[in-house]
Amino acid sequence: MNFDLTVRNGIVATENDTFTADLGICDGTIVAIERRLKPGMGDIDAAGRFVLPGGIDSHCHVEQLSGMGLMCADDFYSATVSAAFGGTTTIIPFAAQHRGMALPEVIADYARRAAEKAVIDYGFHLIVADPTEQTLRQDLPQAIRDGITSFKVFMTYDSLKLDDYQLLEVLDLAKREGALVMIHAENNDMIRWLAQRMIEKGHKAPKYHAVAHSPLAETEATHRAIQLSRLIDTSLMIVHVSTPEAVRVIASSQALGVPIHGETCPQYLFLTADDIDQPGLEGAKFCCSPPPRDKASQDVLWAALKHGTLRMFSSDHAPYRFDETGKLPNGDKTTFKQMANGVPGLEVRMPLLFSEGVGQARITLNEFVALTATHHARTYGLYPRKGTIAIGSDADLAIWNPDAEVVLSASMLHDNVGYTPYEGRKVRGWPEVVVSRGRIVVENGTLQVERGTGQYLARGTPKPVAAPREARWSPNTGLFQFPREAMQAPE
Ligand code: URP
Ligand code: ZN
Ligand code: ZN
């Protein structure tokens, strides 16, 4: 057989297996996985490299207007280029409805902008901020049938938040239509109240963002969101989990067999609230919601990724420049309440997790593949086309040099943010060649494809990956007992 492209001599890893094999690719699809294939028209020598499924980043904000009315710094070109350089070959950003907007127009607008610019494949989630009769009865069910099979709702941000009644309505709709609800779980009034106290006392610096976004606000909202979904008897994805208490709330529900799923992000494993505590407004570069917490929280999140309480690792790339368009809308007078929330992470998500996870033996290579690709594909209705290396799957590959040492800096990244919260951090392991549907997208440190060559992905029914039911509930004490390793930091 004549292949369009072969990838030979590499070590292939999927969520379950690691083996030496060559890949043969025709028409963008993997058609052969064998030892000793003949070179195709294109041939990549992957000796000494890991050949992994291209990453899927299922939580990122691209060319999106925030709840505060601020536009992201990355458009669909810079975001997808940046993602590709970091080993990600599929993104699922949001088409965001704001109040007063009709969903069909929102979707058409995002679809047009992405089609012109994306260099890798993409789907959309919706953000539903205005669940009117028209949205609930007609537009949202239609969008789900058209392949936008998940949507995010917010419990905080005055301009986006839904009340509990509205949350029940959208959960009920998702259950009926076979969609998955993603939820931003923070208690709006707790945050508002704390923020007001800070401002009254003259505490306006970025570090007070982390004080206002108390861990208790996340715990309360996470617990409430889960009870709402239990009332409807449907599943739920809790995004950007940052606290040990939220992990425990999720784990206890999972132990009862409740289909609650959880995601965390680089900022909660690699940053802490101390990073926000910097002179002047510098700390704004580290502010996102929920905020980075502390070392103890990082340890629990690592354990939750290892143990399976959290099965998704996404960037929550929310790119805002350190100027009046994003972090500093009021110049040097900007308070923590006024700056845009969010940190960039599309390009560094996989290298950071590979380096600190696989490299430090916190997770296995197969768990890395699952956390960065396969679970996203399964959860959001893209599997087995995406997220794995198998006959018939799209040839989306990240070919990793596990020994490459890279010092992260804004100047080497391809987003349009101008800084990285991980400046100066050394990582070991980097995707040298990135392939999307058989097209070499990145090689020799350069982009090889044109803008607009990414394809839109209509997605199927979400099938979130269930957590292992290993937390034991004691009917005698009424308490949950977790396996020791689940709640302890790895040695
Ligand atoms: O701070 C964040 N995460 N901003 C992006 C929007 C969101 O809530 O995910
Ligand atoms: Zn959010
Ligand atoms: Zn987000």
Side-chain angles (χ1 to χ4, degrees):
M1 189 168 190
N2 285 335
F3 302 111
D4 298 338
L5 180 68
T6 42
V7 180
R8 298 185 308 140
N9 311 314
I11 300 165
V12 176
T14 65
E15 65 176 334
N16 295 319
D17 296 310
T18 307
F19 53 95
T20 303
D22 300 342
L23 305 181
I25 295 159
C26 283
D27 296 327
T29 304
I30 299 170
V31 294
I33 306 176
E34 290 171 30
R35 301 294 284 267
R36 286 181 281 281
L37 288 177
K38 287 212 188 82
M41 287 195 290
D43 182 46
I44 298 170
D45 181 5
R49 306 290 184 259
F50 290 135
V51 179
L52 309 182
I56 301 175
D57 196 334
S58 61
H59 185 166
C60 50
H61 303 268
V62 178
E63 219 173 310
Q64 183 196 314
L65 211 54
S66 78
M68 296 159 94
L70 294 163
M71 177 49 87
C72 285
D74 279 312
D75 67 8
F76 283 95
Y77 184 70
S78 59
T80 54
V81 170
S82 181
F85 272 91
T88 290
T89 52
T90 301
I91 61 168
I92 315 179
F94 298 90
Q97 179 197 42
H98 291 275
R99 292 189 186 138
M101 290 181 178
L103 281 187
E105 278 88 73
V106 171
I107 296 166
D109 179 35
Y110 277 84
R112 179 183 50 74
R113 288 184 281 137
E116 285 166 5
K117 298 172 199 155
V119 302
I120 56 170
D121 294 353
Y122 58 93
F124 290 115
H125 313 282
L126 290 167
I127 285 175
V128 177
D130 201 3
T132 58
E133 282 285 295
Q134 174 71 22
T135 295
L136 290 177
R137 283 190 190 281
Q138 191 161 331
D139 297 344
L140 189 48
Q142 188 58 48
I144 295 166
R145 282 177 215 131
D146 289 345
I148 305 187
T149 54
S150 47
F151 56 92
K152 183 175 176 187
V153 290
F154 288 79
M155 297 171 85
T156 189
Y157 298 127
D158 289 336
S159 62
L160 294 175
K161 76 179 279 287
L162 305 191
D163 63 29
D164 290 354
Y165 191 92
Q166 291 171 315
L167 291 173
L168 288 168
E169 293 274 81
V170 298
L171 284 162
D172 186 41
L173 181 150
K175 182 181 179 181
R176 275 199 318 271
E177 301 290 338
L180 180 63
V181 176
M182 311 158 75
I183 199 150
H184 181 128
E186 287 187 289
N187 180 306
N188 196 52
D189 287 330
M190 287 165 92
I191 295 168
R192 241 168 31 102
W193 189 86
L194 285 168
Q196 190 53 31
R197 299 288 85 74
M198 299 293 136
I199 296 289
E200 279 166 12
K201 289 196 166 99
H203 296 331
K204 298 175 183 169
K207 68 177 176 182
Y208 295 105
H209 171 80
V211 180
H213 287 252
S214 159
L216 286 172
E218 185 175 338
T219 309
E220 188 284 325
T222 302
H223 185 266
R224 180 158 40 100
I226 292 173
Q227 306 322 310
L228 296 174
S229 80
R230 289 181 69 194
L231 191 69
I232 303 296
D233 189 20
T234 192
S235 57
L236 184 63
M237 172 64 71
I238 317 274
V239 294
H240 44 50
V241 174
S242 76
T243 70
E245 278 200 55
V247 170
R248 288 191 187 100
V249 171
I250 293 168
S252 352
S253 308
Q254 291 170 344
L256 284 174
V258 179
I260 300 300
H261 310 281
E263 169 208 79
T264 195
C265 315
Q267 46 272 36
Y268 308 117
L269 295 185
F270 303 109
L271 303 176
T272 68
D274 288 346
D275 290 304
I276 309 179
D277 189 2
Q278 306 227 13
L281 293 170
E282 195 65 19
K285 294 176 180 173
F286 303 83
C287 282
C288 52
S289 301
R293 306 294 187 180
D294 58 10
K295 172 78 173 63
S297 304
Q298 293 180 342
D299 293 343
V300 170
L301 293 170
W302 276 111
L305 286 176
K306 175 75 186 165
H307 177 58
T309 305
L310 304 177
R311 305 219 117 188
M312 308 284 282
F313 187 71
S314 312
S315 69
D316 192 8
H317 181 80
Y320 296 101
R321 293 182 67 82
F322 193 61
D323 62 23
E324 70 290 347
T325 64
K327 291 292 184 182
L328 309 175
N330 206 15
D332 59 6
K333 306 268 179 317
T334 302
T335 70
F336 74 88
K337 282 299 286 172
Q338 296 164 330
M339 68 199 177
N341 282 201
V343 293
L346 260 177
E347 192 163 344
V348 296
R349 171 185 76 119
M350 294 180 75
L352 281 169
L353 191 72
F354 185 88
S355 184
E356 288 298 316
V358 182
Q360 299 301 315
R362 290 181 169 107
I363 56 172
T364 66
L365 182 63
N366 308 102
E367 287 164 345
F368 172 77
V369 168
L371 287 167
T372 56
T374 321
H375 288 171
H376 300 255
R378 291 185 189 278
T379 297
Y380 293 114
L382 291 172
Y383 188 85
R385 177 173 173 191
K386 303 286 189 189
T388 192
I389 294 177
I391 304 285
S393 294
D394 280 0
D396 290 359
L397 306 169
I399 301 173
W400 284 76
N401 178 349
D403 300 317
E405 290 197 347
V406 175
V407 179
L408 301 179
S409 86
S411 59
M412 52 145 318
L413 299 174
H414 298 81
D415 61 32
N416 189 34
V417 178
Y419 63 86
T420 168
Y422 310 100
E423 185 74 35
R425 193 179 290 248
K426 195 188 279 181
V427 295
R428 192 179 169 91
W430 198 266
E432 284 179 341
V433 183
V434 179
V435 177
S436 157
R437 277 180 290 102
R439 304 170 305 141
I440 296 177
V441 177
V442 174
E443 193 175 33
N444 299 325
T446 50
L447 186 72
Q448 308 284 334
V449 294
E450 296 296 320
R451 59 167 59 216
T453 52
Q455 280 184 4
Y456 170 69
L457 301 164
R459 295 180 290 114
T461 304
K463 295 195 176 69
V465 186
R469 290 184 63 182
E470 284 167 21
R472 294 176 293 273
W473 184 66
S474 160
N476 297 329
T477 63
L479 296 174
F480 287 96
Q481 299 168 316
F482 296 94
R484 276 162 63 85
E485 69 277 11
M487 304 314 288
Q488 280 181 346
E491 292 300 311

